[in-house]
Amino acid sequence: MTSRASGGTVEQRIQSKSGSGRSLRIAVVLLVAASGALESVSFLGLERVFAGVMTSNLALLGMAVGRGKAVGVTAAVLALAGFGLGVLVGSWCTRGSAMAATRWPRSVLIVLAAEAVLLAVGALVWGLAGGMPGESTRYAMQFGAGLAMGAQSAAMVTAGHAAAPTTYLTGTLATYIVKGVHSGRPGVWVPLRFAGLVAGAAVSAALLKEARAWAALPPVVLTLCALAVARAPLAARRYRSVGRS
């Protein structure tokens, strides 16, 4: 989870009305949808813990300890450890990156690309197992899911004003309501993130029910789409520059 849970981050801090600003807003929505899809797989298909919502995992850990359920303790610890490691690795890879309001640093894009690769490996393992991996594989995938969400969270923190929380939206909801009440002009992009979260979770949940082997694919596709959208304005700018030379 990112600690920067600001409901108005995208609307209030990205001042540019250019294609870059809109593209980054869309990319954030896609990343939120990817995290929602992964949460469905993590909670419904793995070990009943979350990949990116560490507050809930801490509560689940406490409940497992209180009930003496060793399985629940192991799963929660793996998710927490994976997320923490993902944040550490992501922050190390993006250290020293300059924040900008209309683009994501190259290091952020690299971290998100690495996350997509990790998610793709998980989806392949999941698919080869027919959506029914064994216990040790589920534990490994639970750690990997936490690792992916931790890396994504670190990347969004590094992106600063050009990004927003994508793995945990409780603070975003509270801030959005408070600022919407105070300003009288609530923006549209925060509700779109909420809708993306619900839609991503719904897609993977439906696949878990109807086509289980494919349930881990949506997080991969959505993350890759977010990367493509975030890079599109940069590619267009380079193309225009080449055309002028």
Side-chain angles (χ1 to χ4, degrees):
M1 291 166 295
T2 58
S3 59
R4 293 175 58 258
S6 171
T9 300
V10 176
E11 293 81 1
Q12 296 173 3
R13 294 186 178 181
I14 299 179
Q15 299 300 324
S16 170
K17 299 300 182 181
S18 65
S20 295
R22 288 190 297 273
S23 294
L24 295 183
R25 293 181 179 102
I26 295 169
V28 167
V29 172
L30 289 168
L31 286 178
V32 172
S35 70
L38 188 60
E39 295 296 8
S40 279
V41 176
S42 177
F43 191 83
L44 299 175
L46 294 176
E47 298 297 331
R48 295 286 174 176
V49 297
F50 296 99
V53 188
M54 293 303 109
T55 302
S56 295
N57 283 345
L58 287 168
L60 290 171
L61 176 61
M63 286 184 263
V65 170
R67 297 172 62 195
K69 298 287 186 180
V71 172
V73 171
T74 302
V77 168
L78 284 171
L80 287 161
F83 187 88
L85 181 60
V87 171
L88 284 174
V89 173
S91 61
W92 182 82
C93 292
T94 57
R95 69 193 188 285
S97 299
M99 294 183 182
T102 58
R103 65 178 178 82
W104 289 350
R106 184 170 179 269
S107 60
V108 167
L109 297 175
I110 290 173
V111 168
L112 292 176
E115 178 201 355
V117 171
L118 178 61
L119 291 173
V121 171
L124 178 62
V125 172
W126 177 271
L128 291 175
M132 299 293 289
E135 183 180 67
S136 59
T137 303
R138 290 199 309 273
Y139 281 152
M141 292 185 69
Q142 192 68 72
F143 181 85
L147 184 68
M149 289 296 94
Q152 185 185 116
S153 295
M156 291 298 93
V157 170
T158 299
H161 297 170
T166 57
T167 62
Y168 180 65
L169 303 183
T170 301
T172 299
L173 176 60
T175 304
Y176 176 74
I177 293 172
V178 171
K179 292 190 175 183
V181 169
H182 287 173
S183 68
R185 295 181 302 171
V188 68
W189 289 99
V190 170
L192 285 176
R193 274 185 267 158
F194 296 146
L197 183 70
V198 173
V203 168
S204 280
L207 288 173
L208 282 168
K209 182 179 179 181
E210 303 295 339
R212 193 175 179 88
W214 297 94
L217 190 59
V220 184
V221 174
L222 288 164
T223 301
L224 289 173
C225 288
L227 270 168
V229 170
R231 282 185 52 84
L234 297 175
R237 192 176 301 125
R238 291 194 189 101
Y239 179 80
R240 289 194 296 269
S241 298
V242 170
R244 294 192 196 100
S245 61

